Amino acid sequence: MSLPHALLTSLLEQPCSGMDLARRFGRSIGFFWPATHQQIYKELGKLEAAGWVRSSAEEGARGRKRCYEVLPAGEQELKRWVAETDEPPPLRDAMMVRLRAEAALGTGAGVENDLLHRLARHRTQLALYEDIEQRDFTGRELSAAEQLQYLILQSGLTTEREHIRFCEKALALMEALEPAGV
Amino acid sequence: MSLPHALLTSLLEQPCSGMDLARRFGRSIGFFWPATHQQIYKELGKLEAAGWVRSSAEEGARGRKRCYEVLPAGEQELKRWVAETDEPPPLRDAMMVRLRAEAALGTGAGVENDLLHRLARHRTQLALYEDIEQRDFTGRELSAAEQLQYLILQSGLTTEREHIRFCEKALALMEALEPAGV
DNA sequence: TGCCTTTATGCAACAAGTTGCAATTAAAGA
DNA sequence: TCTTTAATTGCAACTTGTTGCATAAAGGCA
């Protein structure tokens, strides 16, 4: 479970409130560790109880806005955790189950729907990553931290391109197996 | 949630008991939809209650072994589900969080441990997939169903190779950023 | 001032999956 | 025969994450 450490990382980059974190997750760490605001608030409470972050009420803001920042103990904990290892996350992909079900049922069951839908989603996501690449990592010298961040983005780019190629290949195969009109 | 449909698919390929299903999951559908025997038993109960499968006690077997087979209503349900669409499964990868944490902490935090560990795991998994490819899909004509199954396996092969390349690239970058001895 | 909207925080119920352990039955061995 | 072992099924507690809704505080506007 990496949410606490994802939050520590994000707060280390920039102290902010829970709502700000939720928004930033949506366009950076959230690409490979999604989290809703509910999870984030709950976890921030635990981080504060553990003495890894502290929060201070923010004057002149709506609601009960609090700003969180990482304490030295939190940075220590993050360092400790970075040096650990994990098993690779298990895949769980319904589309693969569908393809196998289509094979078991005989063709014509309609897995093309999902293939086309995925294709569109992966193209959208790829375009988003390409925008980020263009905006943040192109045409200048990158610091060490930026080179690492770019590496992570490149993983996303490669993954999306692979998914697109897979969907196209699968659709071509379906076409070949079900000649016109089936 | 695709477990019920993964079970229907597997039982359609070959009726069997819960324990047999759990074993077969470990080397086929389980590659992209893992499930423990607990989940499988619970779900088989629901499938039977829904009238999608039926079970019969198996004589001359240890324990209370039951054999499950798909009913016509179950096959209908599977067909219905195959034609649906899903969102692509969200990524959740602790190693990416570690890389970003390493960037935020400054280098030397030790993400190489996880990179090397992953590299070993992905090489093992790739070797397993290559064995299956060699054994089941090489050197003969493939039926339509087998071509689909091979397509799924190829997705696994590509994914593992991409992960290996990523780990190697990341390790090379870490090396470049932390010259000898750091 | 009083009311509505916006921003921020949070509770509670639910869903899916994991882990550890218990119960049932048959085969194998002393 | 009696005990042990293996195979199979299953319960219960826990963890992680989701969804829908509730609460709190400030700003905008009649």
Side-chain angles (χ1 to χ4, degrees):
Chain A
M1 216 274 290
S2 309
L3 180 57
H5 301 96
L7 293 176
L8 285 172
T9 301
S10 200
L11 287 175
L12 203 59
E13 291 170 359
Q14 172 71 52
C16 66
S17 73
M19 187 55 67
D20 293 337
L21 268 179
R23 273 192 285 263
R24 282 165 49 195
F25 256 58
R27 47 195 161 72
S28 61
I29 294 195
F31 290 141
F32 42 87
W33 203 278
T36 63
H37 70 116
Q38 310 294 357
Q39 267 182 288
I40 291 174
Y41 284 126
K42 206 184 300 180
E43 202 59 46
L44 282 173
K46 291 183 193 169
L47 293 184
E48 188 156 27
W52 293 342
V53 304
R54 73 187 171 91
S55 69
S56 47
E58 214 165 89
E59 304 298 323
R62 288 186 184 176
R64 283 168 297 186
K65 189 168 189 174
R66 309 185 63 73
C67 180
Y68 287 85
E69 61 184 316
V70 179
L71 294 171
E75 194 166 331
Q76 271 317 110
E77 165 59 22
L78 189 56
K79 269 190 180 131
R80 187 197 63 70
W81 175 82
V82 167
E84 282 190 338
T85 64
D86 272 305
E87 295 313 304
L91 292 185
R92 238 192 207 104
D93 191 337
M95 196 177 71
M96 297 300 176
V97 179
R98 283 199 171 86
L99 283 167
R100 182 122 189 173
E102 173 106 18
L105 287 164
T107 55
V111 72
E112 294 91 339
N113 293 339
D114 204 20
L115 286 165
L116 288 166
H117 182 250
R118 291 289 180 93
L119 191 53
R121 292 304 158 107
H122 290 304
R123 281 179 175 152
T124 303
Q125 193 67 19
L126 176 60
L128 175 58
Y129 289 159
E130 283 173 340
D131 280 352
I132 296 175
E133 178 180 35
Q134 199 59 37
R135 194 189 65 210
D136 294 347
F137 299 107
T138 302
R140 60 191 182 80
E141 289 288 309
L142 299 177
S143 69
E146 285 169 333
Q147 287 181 58
L148 271 171
Q149 287 171 13
Y150 189 26
L151 178 76
I152 297 167
L153 180 66
Q154 286 172 307
S155 158
L157 286 162
T158 304
T159 301
E160 295 304 327
R161 288 179 182 133
E162 273 312 322
H163 285 151
I164 290 169
R165 294 215 310 173
F166 178 80
C167 288
E168 288 171 345
K169 192 168 153 187
L171 285 164
L173 177 60
M174 297 305 298
E175 186 78 18
L177 293 177
E178 304 175 30
V182 179
Chain B
M1 216 274 289
S2 311
L3 180 57
H5 301 95
L7 293 176
L8 286 174
T9 301
S10 200
L11 287 175
L12 204 58
E13 291 170 357
Q14 171 71 54
C16 67
S17 72
M19 187 55 67
D20 293 336
L21 267 179
R23 273 192 286 263
R24 281 166 48 196
F25 256 58
R27 48 197 161 71
S28 61
I29 294 193
F31 290 141
F32 42 88
W33 202 280
T36 62
H37 70 114
Q38 309 295 358
Q39 267 181 288
I40 291 174
Y41 285 126
K42 207 184 300 181
E43 202 60 45
L44 282 173
K46 291 183 194 169
L47 293 184
E48 189 157 26
W52 293 342
V53 304
R54 73 186 170 92
S55 67
S56 47
E58 212 166 272
E59 304 298 321
R62 288 185 184 177
R64 281 170 298 186
K65 190 166 189 174
R66 308 185 64 73
C67 180
Y68 287 84
E69 62 184 313
V70 179
L71 293 171
E75 194 166 332
Q76 269 318 108
E77 165 59 22
L78 189 56
K79 267 190 185 134
R80 187 198 62 71
W81 175 82
V82 166
E84 283 191 339
T85 64
D86 272 305
E87 296 311 304
L91 291 184
R92 242 194 202 101
D93 192 338
M95 195 176 71
M96 297 300 176
V97 179
R98 284 201 168 85
L99 283 167
R100 183 123 189 171
E102 174 107 18
L105 286 164
T107 55
V111 73
E112 294 90 339
N113 293 339
D114 206 18
L115 286 166
L116 288 166
H117 181 249
R118 291 289 180 93
L119 190 54
R121 291 304 159 108
H122 289 303
R123 283 180 174 152
T124 302
Q125 193 68 19
L126 176 59
L128 174 60
Y129 288 158
E130 284 174 338
D131 280 353
I132 295 175
E133 179 180 34
Q134 197 60 39
R135 194 190 64 210
D136 294 346
F137 298 106
T138 303
R140 59 192 183 79
E141 288 290 308
L142 299 178
S143 69
E146 285 169 333
Q147 286 181 58
L148 271 172
Q149 288 172 13
Y150 189 25
L151 178 77
I152 297 168
L153 180 65
Q154 285 172 307
S155 160
L157 286 161
T158 305
T159 302
E160 295 304 327
R161 287 179 183 133
E162 273 312 323
H163 284 152
I164 290 168
R165 294 215 312 176
F166 178 80
C167 288
E168 289 170 346
K169 193 169 154 186
L171 284 164
L173 178 59
M174 297 306 298
E175 186 79 17
L177 293 178
E178 303 175 31
V182 179

